[in-house]
Amino acid sequence: MSVIITGAGRGIGKAIALKFAAQGEELILCAKSAETIENAKQEILIRFPNTVIHTFHTDLSEKAAVKEFGAFCLTKGTPGVLINNAGSYIPGKCINEDEGVMEQMMNINFYSAYYLTRFLLPSMMAVKQGHIFNICSIASLQAYEGGGGYSVSKFALHGFSNNLRHELKPHGIKVTSVFPGAVFTDSWAGYDNSSNRIMEAGDIAEMVFAATKLSTQAVVEDIVIRPQLGDL
């Protein structure tokens, strides 16, 4: 069975891909940019040359593209782990953010996970196993200044995870919500992290991987992980 990761070209997604590659897992990686996902693939293969990696590039904010990627995944067999990590951040306020920002945030941060999960679930339910991770955010748990449409879309992803977990209990499929605080990715470009104030993408990858290694009767429902000194 394969490990499917969206938003895998950089940041948290790429770090998770590297962690699973180190364990010899077969990967299906997706990103919007062909160059970005190819670079990530080559980086993984340099470190773990025996890894089987399938790549796909598309804009997962579009429903048709999500289904096209889902069909591609199924050609590689039944998914074992699905990590819905694709996302984007546009700062702002609900009361005055630009027209269309809310729709843009919902399409990539929520609907990409919603449609891809629904497309892949029948194959996972047929074998009564699998593990779904939705990379939410601390912004899924509380409002914060400048969160706007991003925070709303992550609240939606959190709600989706809760419902999935309830609905999939009888089908042997685990669902884990991941709530990272500040992680040193492109969203923090230009930030001076020389003091290690914010987390590394690898920290999230370690926790996600560990959650897949429990017995079949145990599930980590939520992973909340913040910088040691607290949120920024």
Side-chain angles (χ1 to χ4, degrees), residues 19-160:
K19 182 62 182 180
F20 278 97
Q23 309 303 315
E25 300 288 352
E26 180 177 349
L27 305 177
I28 303 177
L29 309 180
C30 183
K32 184 176 181 179
S33 163
E35 180 180 5
T36 299
I37 199 63
E38 184 60 28
N39 288 343
K41 176 182 178 179
Q42 294 307 316
E43 180 179 338
I44 294 168
L45 289 175
I46 288 171
R47 296 179 59 178
F48 308 106
N50 295 323
T51 308
V52 177
I53 305 176
H54 312 283
T55 61
F56 196 92
H57 68 276
T58 194
D59 183 356
L60 292 179
S61 67
E62 299 178 4
K63 181 178 178 180
V66 174
K67 292 187 174 182
E68 185 180 1
F69 174 58
F72 173 80
C73 292
L74 292 180
T75 66
K76 310 305 177 186
T78 301
V81 178
L82 168 61
I83 301 169
N84 289 309
N85 173 67
S88 180
Y89 170 65
I90 299 176
K93 298 182 179 181
C94 294
I95 58 175
N96 60 11
E97 61 192 1
D98 290 343
E99 188 77 21
V101 166
M102 180 67 75
E103 291 88 342
Q104 185 177 347
M105 292 293 91
M106 288 295 292
N107 285 340
I108 187 60
N109 295 335
F110 169 63
Y111 280 118
S112 67
Y114 174 75
Y115 289 124
L116 182 59
T117 301
R118 281 166 52 91
F119 194 94
L120 298 176
L121 266 178
S123 65
M124 300 170 76
M125 292 168 67
V127 297
K128 296 186 73 69
Q129 65 182 35
H131 200 150
I132 299 167
F133 290 85
N134 289 324
I135 308 300
C136 300
S137 169
I138 291 300
S140 303
L141 303 176
Q142 61 190 41
Y144 72 98
E145 187 65 26
Y150 174 80
S151 184
V152 172
S153 67
K154 290 296 189 176
F155 265 89
L157 186 59
H158 179 199
F160 176 52

